[in-house]
Amino acid sequence: MNYTPYLKLFEPLKDQLSGVYSTATLIISIILILWVLNFVVGLISRIFSIGKSVGTFYRSFVHRYLRIFIYSFLNLFSRKNNIKT
């Protein structure tokens, strides 16, 4: 028994399914690209807010003490150089 004439009946269905497959692939690709962009933007936003809060804390509570320590440390070495000359 030859089934090839019956298989020709499925060709329009096959053409429609291939069009649906290509459209679904395009939609999935676009959704994936948008998700990656959203992830990157969210990551940048979170890193910026963390950096801003850490910088605000540093500038408000740590900077003045660290600045005094660094200036006194640098003056310690500059005085030794002035004494030798």
Side-chain angles (χ1 to χ4, degrees), residues 23-84:
T23 305
T25 305
L26 177 67
I27 290 171
I28 289 172
S29 299
I30 290 172
I31 289 173
L32 186 65
I33 289 170
L34 289 175
W35 182 83
V36 167
L37 286 174
N38 186 27
F39 178 73
V40 169
V41 168
L43 197 63
I44 289 171
S45 174
R46 286 186 184 132
I47 289 172
F48 175 77
S49 65
I50 289 171
K52 184 173 169 76
S53 62
V54 168
T56 303
F57 175 79
Y58 168 78
R59 192 73 175 157
S60 297
F61 299 109
V62 179
H63 180 70
R64 69 184 108 175
Y65 303 113
L66 192 63
R67 185 180 61 186
I68 292 170
F69 176 73
I70 290 174
Y71 282 156
S72 63
F73 187 72
L74 290 175
N75 286 334
L76 182 68
F77 287 121
S78 67
R79 286 183 185 158
K80 283 185 178 180
N81 289 338
N82 289 338
I83 294 173
K84 289 181 182 179

Side-chain angles (χ1 to χ4, degrees), residues 3-18:
Y3 292 111
T4 55
Y6 297 117
L7 291 177
K8 289 184 181 182
L9 294 174
F10 290 118
E11 284 187 20
L13 179 65
K14 184 186 78 159
D15 292 338
Q16 286 182 349
L17 287 178
S18 68

